[in-house]
Amino acid sequence: MKKCLLLIILLNFQGVVAQGNDSLITISFENTNLKTVLLQIEERTNYNFYFQDSWLEEYKKISGDYEDVPVEVVLNDIFKNTIVNFYIINESDIVLTLNNVIHDTLPDGFFGKKGVNNFSSEMPNDENISAVFTAVPKSSTARIETVRIGKAIRNNSNKKFKLLGHIINRQSNKPISNSIIVVNGKDVGVETDNNGFYEVELTKGSNLIEVNAMGMENVKKRVILYNNGRLNFSLNESVEQLDEVILEAEVNKNVEEVVTKTEINVQTSKNIPLALGERDVLKVATTLPGITTAGEGASGYNVRGGKSDQNLILLDDAVIYNPQHFFGIFSALNPFALGDVSIYKNGIPAEYGGRLSSVFDLTTKNASVDKFRGEGSIGPITGNLLIETPILKEKSGLMLGGRGVYANWVLKSLDEESLKDSEASFYDVIAKYNHQINDNSKIEAMGYWSRDDFRITSDSLYVYGNRALSLRWHHRFNDKNTGKFVFTNSRYDFDIEFDGETNNDFDLGYSIDETELKFQFKHLYNKHIKFDYGLSGKLYVVNPGSIKPKGPESIIDPVEIQKERGLESAVFLSGNIALTDKITLDAGIRYSMFNALGEGSQNVYEDGAPRGEGTVIETLNFDKNEVIETYGGPEFRISGRYLLDEDLSVKAAYNKTYQYIHTLSNNTIASPIDTWKLSDLNIKPQSSQQYSLGVYKNFDNAAYEISLEGFYKRSNNSIDFKTGAEVLLNENIETVILQGKGKAYGVEFLFKKQSGRFNGWLGYTYSRSFIQLDSPFREEQVNNGDFFPSNFDKPHDFSLVANYKLTKRFSLSTNLVYQTGRPVTFPVGNFVFNGAEYPVFSDRNKFRIPDFYRLDIGINIEGNHKRKKLAHSFWTISVYNVLGRDNPFSVFFVTENGEVKGLKSSIFSVPVPSITYNFKF
């Protein structure tokens, strides 16, 4: 076998007849590399091949079976799916070329005369000739990489071809959406989609491609295009000033997008002073309009007047039931592991379901595939470390992160004697593996664990934790179709151990486990119409609780509530349709269905009577997997946007949603020991309809953003409880549950400044949330069946987050929060029984606790900006609640020594200073 430069061959052949050999060959091969196949052909014929070995290295599995066929037929087949062409010289030599075709005749008109030859059909005019033979201009001063794409085909008269590919961040290995591909120096180009894919039509021959993306270094390549092909880009992060083209691409995103979502920048969240210096993106979310909590230190979030259980919190598509440590003071999600944080509170896409109020869609960042990286922090009571390491260079990487608390020494050092034996500890661990199989496929596997242990009194130990597993396969089928296949498993559990001085020691436990399989597809019909469709199935297994005696002397009777199982399934279809340049609709439908499954028993109650032990007329028993009850219906999701100007739009949305799972708690605020209950024969699913209308405006090239949006929401079968209801370990929980109507409405205002030395945002929400619990039976009525404020109804909510950059390394930040006090039920009278005084309470939630306000300040110190150093550092010095405001966490009343006393509890009633060291390498 010989190797030779193409130029030498072309200079030494004369009078040849190309592509005309009639030699026949019989040959068979299976999963053989291309070079070996060519060597076999040489052995069985008189031909010699001329090529470079590197041209054939990627073609390692070639199969074929031929009998008495011309050599040219075999070559056409084996080179069909490659970029290799061949040219036969006489009857002895075959020259291989990459991409291009060797022509042995000139096109018509080459010398000013018409003629007929093989070249004319492929290149009918002089314009195409210049396109093919144009290489890198000699006048180019910058060194630009030249790449050749596609395979030239004889007699192909197309003047333009498609170039498509994928653009990723080299450091994070994540796709870059909304990046701009500029062609041949023009001011306009195409834009990558949400998954980083692009498609552009180019002229045959030489094209100068420039890729611009916000926060990334620009890349230029000269592409010589022979046919349709693929070219991927991997961009490096940059701290350079943004190019004008990039600004134009991102400048009006908030105005132009149809489905409005709140996005939180994980990196910039480090500048916001929070409790004990701990970075928390979910706490940052509560400074934005429409998102709040029931109180400081409360677990859960209330979005647009909804309960905390009405939020779907996803981590790489896996549900997180309790995303907080230590009763809401710390986030249970490692901020260093997070990549994107998106929150949908109106216009929820059809792919999401199962909750009424919002979706918190959090995705972890991909591990580095090029070099070892790490990030960590050391705070007053917590430590955090996350590392990334390549597994296969440029293909796969592994991320490992862990965080823990060392707060016990703080509790033991306090002067308060009652806290000497207290404990408070937690940890969370996260791991992720990402692997780029090829240009069209990648897999991501994520595992997350968290655990909390705390003991406020010496006799009780509380333990609760999350587990989440996620396996996702992303695949691009062709230029128009992509898919995502998801398998997830989530678990939440808690355990209470009581070990007192008497013989009533016990161990109480609860758990919920869910497993989901989801298939999601995207279809690009054309540049104006896109479809999103798929189906999902989710299996719930709930252990509603059990209590067991602890120790042989315990007098506690064991109780175990029967397990619950349920299957939630859904199909969905949505389309994003650009009706005109100004009007775009995103319309979808999701049909969900829930099957409550056995085994188990369900009580049937007498019609026309309140539910209770005395009104049970029958108990139905169900076998394992037998359907107890079926619920379901269509969920419509419609969003629309009208562009009044390029920086001004009006948006409207309508959502209908169902929720088949509920929390059981008669506390005012959510807590780690709240239990989840599936819908069944007696408890119906919740449903909601929400309408919203908003105006979005940008100023000064999007340096300033302003939005004003109103919403109105109605709900059915909202969950609440009878006064004094016993919720935990209640075998007939439906006898204390009340289901009624709800309504919420409000207006949200947001002003944001994104650039300059002074930046931040100001948010204000006026909203009301009410519930109605009406029934023909007095014992199932609350407040005479009238609407009354919900536990989390707080009309006024004001937040100011500001950051001022003194220098490139030093900045000041502040966080100011004001909220109306939440509703509470107060005693309005008293009565005396057996010599003791007892309170008479008002209507439920008739009064309010004092208003809440808090001011935090912080100083942020960046390390020096030298590129070559072991680690880059960032210091945060902050004071939480700098004014020392004694904000009430709860107000409650007790009877002591025959007198009614009102008590108030607070979480942080004094200024809390902290200093945190962050490092990145």
Side-chain angles (χ1 to χ4, degrees):
M1 216 283 297
K2 301 179 180 178
K3 286 193 267 185
C4 171
L5 291 177
L6 175 61
L7 182 60
I8 297 176
I9 296 297
L10 294 179
L11 292 176
N12 284 278
F13 81 89
Q14 297 179 8
V16 299
V17 179
Q19 314 290 345
N21 191 278
D22 293 329
S23 298
L24 302 180
I25 186 174
T26 297
I27 189 171
S28 179
F29 42 87
E30 183 175 358
N31 292 331
T32 308
N33 66 68
L34 186 51
K35 179 180 176 181
T36 301
V37 174
L38 296 183
L39 293 177
Q40 291 178 10
I41 295 175
E42 280 190 338
E43 292 175 357
R44 302 181 187 194
T45 67
N46 295 324
Y47 286 113
N48 292 313
F49 288 92
Y50 296 88
F51 58 87
Q52 291 288 339
D53 287 349
S54 59
W55 297 353
L56 311 180
E57 286 179 353
E58 62 179 293
Y59 308 115
K60 298 180 179 180
K61 293 186 177 181
I62 307 296
S63 299
D65 187 8
Y66 305 91
E67 184 175 355
D68 293 334
V69 298
V71 172
E72 186 176 350
V73 172
V74 179
L75 297 180
N76 280 327
D77 280 356
I78 65 177
F79 292 133
K80 179 171 59 177
N81 296 320
T82 73
I83 61 171
V84 179
N85 275 310
F86 67 94
Y87 188 86
I88 300 177
I89 303 173
N90 294 322
E91 296 184 3
S92 59
D93 299 315
I94 299 177
V95 178
L96 305 187
T97 63
L98 283 183
N99 305 105
N100 60 332
V101 173
I102 297 176
H103 299 277
D104 49 24
T105 57
L106 295 175
D108 287 340
F110 189 81
F111 292 110
K113 297 179 182 181
K114 297 287 183 180
V116 179
N117 50 50
N118 294 334
F119 206 144
S120 60
S121 62
E122 181 181 356
M123 304 186 66
N125 55 49
D126 294 342
E127 179 182 350
N128 284 329
I129 297 173
S130 62
V132 169
F133 287 100
T134 300
V136 181
K138 294 181 179 180
S139 59
S140 176
T141 57
R143 184 176 180 180
I144 300 175
E145 179 187 0
T146 299
V147 294
R148 291 169 171 79
I149 302 295
K151 177 180 179 179
I153 301 176
R154 288 182 178 276
N155 303 323
N156 189 341
S157 60
N158 293 342
K159 298 180 181 180
K160 292 186 176 182
F161 295 108
K162 289 182 179 179
L163 180 69
L164 53 89
H166 190 219
I167 301 178
I168 64 171
N169 181 318
R170 183 184 296 275
Q171 280 70 39
S172 67
N173 202 35
K174 294 190 64 174
I176 303 175
S177 60
N178 305 116
S179 54
I180 297 297
I181 294 89
V182 180
V183 182
N184 295 328
K186 297 179 180 178
D187 292 333
V188 294
V190 298
E191 189 175 359
T192 56
D193 62 16
N194 292 333
N195 296 314
F197 289 102
Y198 74 91
E199 181 180 308
V200 61
E201 192 174 56
L202 303 177
T203 57
K204 180 191 299 184
S206 178
N207 294 271
L208 183 62
I209 305 294
E210 182 176 0
V211 179
N212 302 306
M214 181 173 288
M216 312 301 296
E217 293 181 355
N218 294 353
V219 171
K220 288 184 180 181
K221 289 189 179 183
R222 188 169 300 279
V223 176
I224 300 179
L225 197 64
Y226 296 91
N227 209 317
N228 297 329
R230 177 182 297 275
L231 179 60
N232 296 330
F233 291 89
S234 183
L235 307 186
N236 290 313
E237 296 177 356
S238 172
V239 295
E240 298 297 325
Q241 185 174 356
L242 299 178
D243 186 271
E244 182 179 357
V245 176
I246 304 170
L247 291 175
E248 290 295 333
E250 295 286 336
V251 67
N252 291 319
K253 180 182 177 182
N254 63 309
V255 172
E256 294 175 349
E257 62 185 3
V258 183
V259 177
T260 302
K261 61 181 178 180
T262 301
E263 296 181 315
I264 298 176
N265 189 308
V266 178
Q267 291 300 318
T268 57
S269 68
K270 66 184 181 181
N271 295 323
I272 300 175
L274 295 173
L276 298 171
E278 187 74 11
R279 192 188 306 182
D280 189 341
V281 293
L282 295 182
K283 277 292 193 334
V284 174
T286 63
T287 67
L288 297 167
I291 306 173
T292 186
T293 64
E296 188 171 47
S299 297
Y301 305 94
N302 305 108
V303 178
R304 289 192 167 180
K307 288 181 63 178
S308 60
D309 69 339
Q310 294 177 354
N311 306 306
L312 181 64
I313 300 177
L314 302 174
L315 181 65
D316 284 356
D317 290 306
V319 175
I320 303 295
Y321 278 92
N322 187 351
Q324 295 168 323
H325 286 306
F326 202 63
F327 291 97
I329 297 177
F330 302 101
S331 169
L333 302 174
N334 192 328
F336 296 150
L338 296 179
D340 298 318
V341 177
S342 300
I343 303 172
Y344 299 91
K345 54 186 179 178
N346 69 313
I348 298 175
E351 66 175 282
Y352 301 108
R355 300 293 190 274
L356 299 188
S357 293
S358 72
V359 176
F360 287 65
D361 189 7
L362 300 92
T363 59
T364 56
K365 63 183 180 181
N366 283 339
S368 172
V369 296
D370 59 349
K371 63 179 182 179
F372 182 80
R373 302 174 187 276
E375 191 170 4
S377 67
I378 302 174
I381 63 171
T382 61
N384 190 356
L385 179 64
L386 182 137
I387 59 173
E388 306 170 46
T389 182
I391 302 299
L392 295 175
K393 192 72 171 178
E394 303 297 335
K395 280 198 172 286
S396 63
L398 178 65
M399 176 180 71
L400 293 171
R403 186 172 52 147
V405 66
Y406 32 87
N408 287 335
W409 69 271
V410 178
L411 295 173
K412 294 183 183 302
S413 64
L414 297 176
D415 293 334
E416 179 61 42
E417 188 65 29
S418 62
L419 297 177
K420 290 292 185 180
D421 295 325
S422 299
E423 297 178 13
S425 65
F426 66 76
Y427 71 87
D428 55 71
V429 178
I430 191 167
K432 182 178 182 180
Y433 173 77
N434 47 268
H435 184 91
Q436 190 76 35
I437 301 172
N438 52 43
D439 291 342
N440 293 321
S441 293
K442 67 175 180 180
I443 58 172
E444 298 172 340
M446 184 276 299
Y448 165 80
W449 297 265
S450 73
R451 209 63 168 170
D452 276 68
D453 301 89
F454 62 93
R455 186 198 304 272
I456 302 302
T457 60
S458 60
D459 54 14
S460 299
L461 175 64
Y462 293 78
V463 180
Y464 67 92
N466 295 278
R467 182 195 70 204
L469 304 173
S470 171
L471 178 63
R472 303 189 294 179
W473 176 40
H474 303 263
H475 184 70
R476 183 179 179 90
F477 297 99
N478 51 46
D479 298 347
K480 294 183 176 293
N481 295 281
T482 60
K484 182 174 73 169
F485 307 89
V486 181
F487 172 82
T488 65
N489 177 262
S490 301
R491 178 182 172 88
Y492 177 72
D493 60 71
F494 68 78
D495 188 82
I496 304 174
E497 293 183 9
F498 180 81
D499 190 1
E501 296 179 357
T502 59
N503 56 348
N504 60 343
D505 302 337
F506 65 83
D507 189 346
L508 187 151
Y510 167 88
S511 68
I512 178 172
D513 190 287
E514 71 166 62
T515 302
E516 182 179 28
L517 188 62
K518 180 178 179 179
F519 302 90
Q520 182 179 354
F521 305 92
K522 295 181 183 294
H523 174 68
L524 177 64
Y525 183 75
N526 56 41
K527 65 179 181 179
H528 301 295
I529 303 175
K530 304 173 185 176
F531 293 105
D532 193 344
Y533 59 98
L535 69 161
S536 63
K538 180 183 294 187
L539 177 66
Y540 296 98
V541 179
V542 180
N543 179 1
S546 62
I547 186 169
K548 300 176 183 178
K550 187 178 180 183
E553 299 180 357
S554 176
I555 62 173
I556 295 294
D557 293 326
V559 176
E560 184 168 359
I561 309 299
Q562 64 182 7
K563 287 187 177 181
E564 301 177 23
R565 302 175 76 248
L567 178 64
E568 181 181 338
S569 4
V571 294
F572 60 89
L573 170 66
S574 65
N576 185 285
I577 306 169
L579 300 177
T580 68
D581 291 340
K582 294 182 176 294
I583 302 175
T584 301
L585 292 179
D586 193 292
I589 182 172
R590 176 186 181 90
Y591 191 92
S592 63
M593 184 171 65
F594 178 82
N595 302 108
L597 303 176
E599 64 187 308
S601 61
Q602 296 280 298
N603 291 331
V604 179
Y605 295 89
E606 180 182 346
D607 289 335
R611 289 177 181 170
E613 292 184 7
T615 59
V616 176
I617 60 175
E618 185 181 6
T619 299
L620 303 177
N621 294 306
F622 298 88
D623 295 330
K624 187 172 183 180
N625 294 328
E626 183 179 357
V627 175
I628 297 173
E629 186 62 278
T630 298
Y631 298 102
E635 304 179 32
F636 299 99
R637 316 288 176 86
I638 303 172
S639 300
R641 181 224 64 206
Y642 180 73
L643 278 176
L644 298 172
D645 202 348
E646 62 178 8
D647 56 4
L648 174 64
S649 69
V650 177
K651 301 180 186 181
Y654 167 77
N655 280 342
K656 182 178 181 181
T657 50
Y658 285 100
Q659 180 167 332
Y660 304 102
I661 185 170
H662 330 271
T663 54
L664 302 182
S665 173
N666 54 1
N667 295 321
T668 301
I669 58 174
S671 78
I673 58 172
D674 290 344
T675 59
W676 291 78
K677 175 78 175 70
L678 300 179
S679 296
D680 57 22
L681 191 64
N682 294 299
I683 300 176
K684 298 178 180 179
Q686 302 176 66
S687 64
S688 172
Q689 297 185 72
Q690 179 182 235
Y691 306 83
S692 63
L693 178 66
V695 180
Y696 295 77
K697 171 68 176 174
N698 290 342
F699 298 92
D700 193 15
N701 201 32
Y704 302 89
E705 294 181 11
I706 189 170
S707 65
L708 182 67
E709 186 167 68
F711 68 90
Y712 179 77
K713 181 164 60 175
R714 297 295 297 249
S715 59
N716 291 313
N717 299 321
S718 296
I719 295 283
D720 212 310
F721 299 88
K722 295 180 180 179
T723 302
E726 201 59 50
V727 174
L728 196 60
L729 297 180
N730 190 329
E731 294 181 289
N732 298 311
I733 189 67
E734 66 272 8
T735 61
V736 298
I737 286 179
L738 301 177
Q739 291 194 272
K741 296 180 180 180
K743 64 179 180 180
Y745 56 85
V747 177
E748 300 169 357
F749 171 80
L750 178 65
F751 174 78
K752 183 184 292 187
K753 186 177 185 296
Q754 300 194 102
S755 58
R757 298 178 66 180
F758 181 76
N759 55 76
W761 62 84
L762 183 154
Y764 170 74
T765 303
Y766 174 81
S767 67
R768 300 305 307 274
S769 174
F770 300 94
I771 188 172
Q772 181 188 46
L773 301 172
D774 196 9
S775 170
F777 315 110
R778 185 69 179 174
E779 58 264 46
E780 294 182 351
Q781 281 186 358
V782 175
N783 292 4
N784 297 317
D786 297 328
F787 277 100
F788 64 92
S790 64
N791 293 335
F792 35 85
D793 173 65
K794 297 193 286 186
H796 300 285
D797 188 342
F798 172 88
S799 295
L800 173 65
V801 175
N803 183 65
Y804 182 73
K805 204 167 186 64
L806 299 171
T807 68
K808 290 184 177 181
R809 293 181 56 195
F810 295 88
S811 64
L812 300 175
S813 56
T814 186
N815 181 28
L816 175 64
V817 180
Y818 167 82
Q819 295 173 349
T820 306
R822 59 176 173 77
V824 67
T825 305
F826 279 177
V828 293
N830 59 74
F831 66 93
V832 177
F833 180 73
N834 289 337
E837 183 180 1
Y838 294 93
V840 176
F841 287 92
S842 67
D843 286 346
R844 189 179 295 187
N845 291 348
K846 186 175 182 178
F847 299 95
R848 293 183 180 274
I849 64 175
D851 292 350
F852 176 97
Y853 64 83
R854 191 188 74 244
L855 175 66
D856 315 317
I857 60 173
I859 301 174
N860 310 300
I861 307 172
E862 295 271 6
N864 65 64
H865 294 163
K866 293 180 180 179
R867 295 187 61 185
K868 295 184 178 180
K869 55 188 299 187
L870 180 62
H872 293 268
S873 60
F874 180 85
W875 288 88
T876 299
I877 304 171
S878 64
V879 180
Y880 185 83
N881 191 20
V882 67
L883 300 178
R885 165 73 171 171
D886 189 9
N887 290 301
F889 177 70
S890 65
V891 175
F892 55 97
F893 300 87
V894 297
T895 300
E896 290 183 359
N897 300 323
E899 296 182 2
V900 178
K901 295 182 179 180
L903 302 177
K904 178 183 73 172
S905 63
S906 301
I907 301 299
F908 296 106
S909 59
V910 296
V912 182
S914 66
I915 180 169
T916 303
Y917 175 70
N918 300 269
F919 56 92
K920 191 174 184 179
F921 55 90

